[in-house]
Structures are given as C-alpha cells and as structure tokens.
Amino acid sequence: MLKIGMSTPIVEMDGDEMTRVLWKLIKEELIEPFVDLKSEYYDLGLINRNETRDRVTVEAANAARKYGVAVKCATITPNKQRMKEYPQLTEMWKSPNATIRSILDGTVFRTPIMTSFIQPTVRTWESPITIARHAYGDVYKAAELVTDEPGECFLLFKGISGETKQLSVHNAKKGTIWLAQHNTDESIQSFARSCFEYAIALKQDLWFSAKDTISKKYDGRFKDIFDSEFESYKERFDALGIEYFYTLIDDAVARVVRSKGGFIWACKNYDGDVMSDMVSSAFGSLAMMTSVLVSPDGTYEYEAAHGTVTRHYYKYLKGERTSTNPIATIFAWSGALSKRGELDNLPELVDFAGKLEKASLDTLSDGTMTADLAMLAVSDAPIAPRTVDSWEFIGSIADRLK
Ligand code: NAP
Ligand code: MG
C-alpha cells in the first residue's frame, strides 16, 4: 500500500503510564501503516524529564513553536505520592502541560465527542459545549508560603521606575498559608482574542465567566479586557448572529446546566481545569474529550483531556489487557495530522485524519467499545454494546481503516 506523504514533521510528545502504552499502539496500528509519518520525537515520560532535568519539556515546547503543530500524550505531574513511587526523582518537576502552556501562551479548547448511544447526564444538552481554558497564570504560576508564627504579610511591587506599591495582606496570629498569583494584560488579551476568533470559526456564542464581584481588581481586569477586545469583533459577531456575554461563574454554572449546549464557555485557568472535567464527565466520559492548545502565533498542540489512567496501568503491569478508551488520544493524533495537512496543503493527509475519526466513531456505532463507554450506553441503543479491551478496539478501528 502506498503511504500518505508528509512534508513537515509533527512534534510528538510521548508521555506516561497507560496512555504511553496506547500511544505506541495507536502509532503502530492506526497511523504508521497508512502515513509515512514524519515526527520529531520528545520523550516527556517522567523518567526522561527527570534525567534531562525537565529540559526535554522546554525543548518540546520550542519545537512546537518552530513547526506549528504538536501532539502530546498524557504525562504524570509528580506530587508527594509520586516522589515515593519514583524514588529516583531529584525534584518534584512541574506539570509539563503548565510548562508548555506558559511557553506557548494561548488558549486550550476542549470539546466532547458525542455519539448517538450515549446520552449526556444533563438531559437538555443536545450539542457539545466547548470549554476555552485560559492557559497562563493564576494559581498555576503562584508563589506560595507557609508561616507558623505571628506576623504581617505584604504584597510588594517594585517598579523599574523606582516606584513601589505595597499592600498588607493579613496580620497573622498563628500558622498561616499565603498565596500570590498574577496574570498579564497581554495574556488575557490573547486569551480573549483566541476565544473571539474561535467563536467566529465555530459560529457559536461565547460566554465568559469570572468572579468580579469578589475579586474586583483581578477578575475585574479580565472582564474589562474581554469587553474592550470585543469592540473589534462585535460587527463580525452581529453579522453571524452570534453573541458574546459575560456572567458570574456561579450564574454561568447554573445556566450551562439548563442550556442546550452548542456554545463556547471561556473560563479562567482554574475554572477551566475543573469545569472541563465536569462537562466531559456529564457528556459521557473524560476519555471522550478532545483538547487543543491554540497560541496567538498560531501554534496548535493537540492532546486528550484525560490523564495517564494510572489505575489501568497498574492492572496492565500485572499482565491484564485493560479496556482503556483510546478515542481522545486517537483524536489528538487526527487533529494534529489534519492541521499539518491543512498548513502544508496536503489534502490526502487531511482526508486520512477524517477517515481515522470516522473509523473510530463507526466502530463505536457498531457496538464495539471499551468498558467505560459500554457502562454508559443507553438501554435503547440499536445494538447491544460489545465490550473489548484496548488492543481489540484499536484492532477493529484498524480493520475498518484498511
Ligand atoms: P486520569 O488519568 O484521567 O484517570 C482518572 C480515572 O478516569 C481513571 O482511573 C478511569 O476511571 C477514568 N479514565 C480516564 N481516562 C480514561 C480512559 N481513556 N479510558 C477509560 N477510563 C478513563 O486521572 P488521574 O488518575 O487523576 O491522574 C493520573 C495521572 O495523570 C496523574 O499523575 C496526573 O498528574 C496525570 N494527568 C495528566 C494530564 C495531562 O497530561 N494532560 C491530565 C490529567 C492528569 P476508572 O479507574 O474508574 O476506570
Ligand atoms: Mg485537570
């Protein structure tokens, strides 16, 4: 069989645990037999991040910047428990996603993949809800401090002009925890712009939520920047009959649950982290959520929204063939291949990416699925679900593709 050619490499970021196992399988079974894959490989697995003192993550992000398209496998963000699990770790390395996001800036858009046999938990949802997560700053770039004696904590800014600004945070009596977070006008502006652009591309309404009633300066700034950026998009929104509005985060949550879906919900970094898990679970499964980081300079990094599926990995290590859902990781690859094809003017590659997605969804519609989806399948589905392991599932998709 003649393989589809590529001209520019995709930046490939390998990862950890069960998703690393699936990653290899997806490449071998679903991509390499059909595409003469050009990729620049970076091993973002925890062991290699530790060995390179996390340099590999920075190099991978820079490569993504250089080539414009990357695909990333889920990775472990070490915590205390992981430090025990991997005694060779010399540091509690930062989340690779946070490192990459801070280098690329930009916005993460997450959209659930809907299928006919899974009904969203929220009965009114008819179309996917895309969550736009701001990808820079706030609690992910915060300075934290623990103190255990009485004393006063200040927020001190020293301008290069020599001007200083100082604010008392709190007068502590006993043990206290402190956190200082920041964001930048520039990052919020590009967040706003990518959201408006993406809303226009999808022809969908854009919602933005924050808590400016409590955080008048910090969240208030987000709201003001969105308002002022919107000025230059308003005409295009009007022409398309779509709308932008701001609302408080708690009001947004209530409205989302009563909505029919089919819009983009722009969230601050932490809200987006939490809400995307809520929305994806309510749409069916975290394993059915696609994710793409779009930077203001037009770099696209595709990944699955879920993590490394640790629980399944430990079963796999014991020799079990787990039924882990590879769909979101497959769609990360198809997204990257399609974007690469679009940028390099390779219609065959774009076409292949579409066929890969269709083969995956057709396999599901035929009733062949992983355990997480079989559990969710509606009782009146036209075909009774047949639960298979990941190997068999990917094999079925490969057969269809062939
Ligand atoms: P997770 O890997 O997303 O898994 C949580 C649970 O969700 C799984 O145990 C499984 O439930 C279900 N699940 C998730 N993806 C699935 C799939 N593809 N197929 C079937 N079931 C799936 O989250 P976690 O256990 O909280 O985190 C594990 C590691 O992933 C952590 O070290 C974390 O740092 C990392 N992480 C990485 C990223 C990223 O790189 N983007 C994102 C999130 C987390 P059952 O066990 O009930 O089957
Ligand atoms: Mg998360």
Side-chain angles (χ1 to χ4, degrees):
M1 185 164 51
L2 203 62
K3 290 191 191 180
I4 298 161
M6 289 178 65
S7 43
T8 317
I10 281 178
V11 176
E12 178 186 349
M13 308 179 185
D14 207 347
D16 288 298
E17 298 192 316
M18 204 58 219
T19 41
R20 189 182 179 99
V21 176
L22 296 177
W23 192 261
K24 188 163 177 282
L25 204 61
I26 290 167
K27 268 177 74 181
E28 286 173 359
E29 298 277 323
L30 300 180
I31 295 164
E32 284 166 346
F34 310 98
V35 178
D36 198 1
L37 182 67
K38 268 199 174 144
S39 80
E40 199 166 290
Y41 179 88
Y42 292 86
D43 183 0
L44 265 55
L46 184 56
I47 306 285
N48 194 48
R49 270 182 280 146
N50 187 61
E51 275 169 13
T52 61
R53 303 198 54 77
D54 211 20
R55 218 185 45 238
V56 66
T57 310
V58 175
E59 285 171 359
N62 288 334
R65 223 190 194 146
K66 176 176 164 197
Y67 292 112
V69 181
V71 58
K72 181 182 168 291
C73 179
T75 46
I76 293 172
T77 299
N79 53 16
K80 275 188 188 158
Q81 188 206 325
R82 294 293 195 176
M83 298 300 283
K84 280 188 205 139
E85 188 182 344
Y86 294 86
Q88 69 268 50
L89 292 189
T90 52
E91 254 178 66
M92 206 191 284
W93 303 107
K94 275 199 210 149
S95 150
N97 282 32
T99 304
I100 296 167
R101 278 172 200 153
S102 71
I103 292 172
L104 296 182
D105 199 357
T107 299
V108 176
F109 294 93
R110 289 184 169 181
T111 310
I113 303 160
M114 289 182 85
T115 58
S116 55
F117 62 89
I118 299 172
Q119 245 143 42
T121 313
V122 178
R123 271 172 294 139
T124 52
W125 289 355
E126 290 165 8
S127 314
I129 295 168
T130 295
I131 301 253
R133 174 181 174 187
H134 185 210
Y136 176 81
D138 300 350
V139 77
Y140 301 86
K141 272 243 173 256
E144 295 185 299
L145 194 66
V146 180
T147 56
D148 48 21
E149 61 170 324
E152 193 171 1
C153 186
F154 296 91
L155 207 53
L156 170 68
F157 173 80
K158 286 187 193 173
I160 61 161
S161 67
E163 193 204 347
T164 61
K165 283 188 174 182
Q166 183 174 306
L167 199 66
S168 171
V169 178
H170 180 66
N171 221 323
K173 305 273 179 293
K174 290 177 179 170
T176 305
I177 45 177
W178 313 89
L179 175 141
Q181 59 181 46
H182 77 279
N183 223 301
T184 67
D185 288 350
E186 198 185 9
S187 177
I188 301 166
Q189 274 157 2
S190 60
F191 171 46
R193 281 187 211 125
S194 13
C195 290
F196 292 130
E197 293 285 350
Y198 204 67
I200 289 167
L202 261 56
K203 298 187 181 60
Q204 289 186 346
D205 287 348
L206 176 72
W207 306 18
F208 174 55
S209 58
K211 193 73 180 178
D212 69 310
T213 45
I214 300 299
S215 169
K216 291 189 169 60
K217 290 200 171 131
Y218 198 102
D219 281 19
R221 184 73 147 203
F222 273 83
K223 178 178 183 286
D224 291 347
I225 290 176
F226 263 75
D227 283 347
S228 75
E229 291 298 324
F230 184 57
E231 291 301 310
S232 52
Y233 290 94
K234 194 173 180 318
E235 263 178 38
R236 287 155 80 194
F237 268 60
D238 288 346
L240 288 170
I242 57 174
E243 155 178 50
Y244 161 68
F245 67 87
Y246 168 84
T247 188
L248 290 170
I249 177 78
D250 37 358
D251 178 54
V253 169
R255 285 202 204 192
V256 162
V257 170
R258 292 194 308 260
S259 76
K260 288 184 173 171
F263 55 88
I264 302 168
W265 180 13
C267 293
K268 289 177 63 202
N269 208 349
Y270 175 81
D271 297 341
D273 188 351
V274 176
M275 290 307 159
S276 69
D277 281 10
M278 189 275 287
V279 168
S280 62
S281 303
F283 265 105
S285 162
L286 199 56
M288 296 291 279
M289 189 81 155
T290 60
S291 180
V292 56
L293 172 72
V294 183
S295 81
D297 68 0
T299 300
Y300 287 74
E301 185 234 13
Y302 295 84
E303 60 171 330
H306 59 79
T308 58
V309 211
T310 311
R311 205 179 64 83
H312 294 214
Y313 182 59
Y314 278 89
K315 286 184 166 183
Y316 167 78
L317 288 182
K318 283 186 196 146
E320 192 177 316
R321 284 198 153 210
T322 62
S323 187
T324 317
N325 189 340
I327 293 272
T329 306
I330 294 172
F331 274 62
W333 273 101
S334 60
L337 290 169
S338 176
K339 182 49 87 178
R340 195 66 272 169
E342 185 192 312
L343 294 176
D344 294 349
N345 199 14
L346 299 169
E348 280 201 339
L349 194 59
V350 176
D351 182 56
F352 170 76
K355 283 181 174 149
L356 174 56
E357 291 182 359
K358 187 171 186 305
S360 306
L361 294 177
D362 286 353
T363 303
L364 292 179
S365 314
D366 262 14
T368 302
M369 61 191 78
T370 46
D372 57 318
L373 295 183
M375 253 166 30
L376 296 166
V378 288
S379 51
D380 58 354
I383 301 171
R386 190 172 72 91
T387 306
V388 292
D389 64 41
S390 306
W391 287 258
E392 205 180 325
F393 184 63
I394 289 173
S396 303
I397 299 173
D399 289 344
R400 237 167 236 283
L401 261 180
K402 279 173 202 150

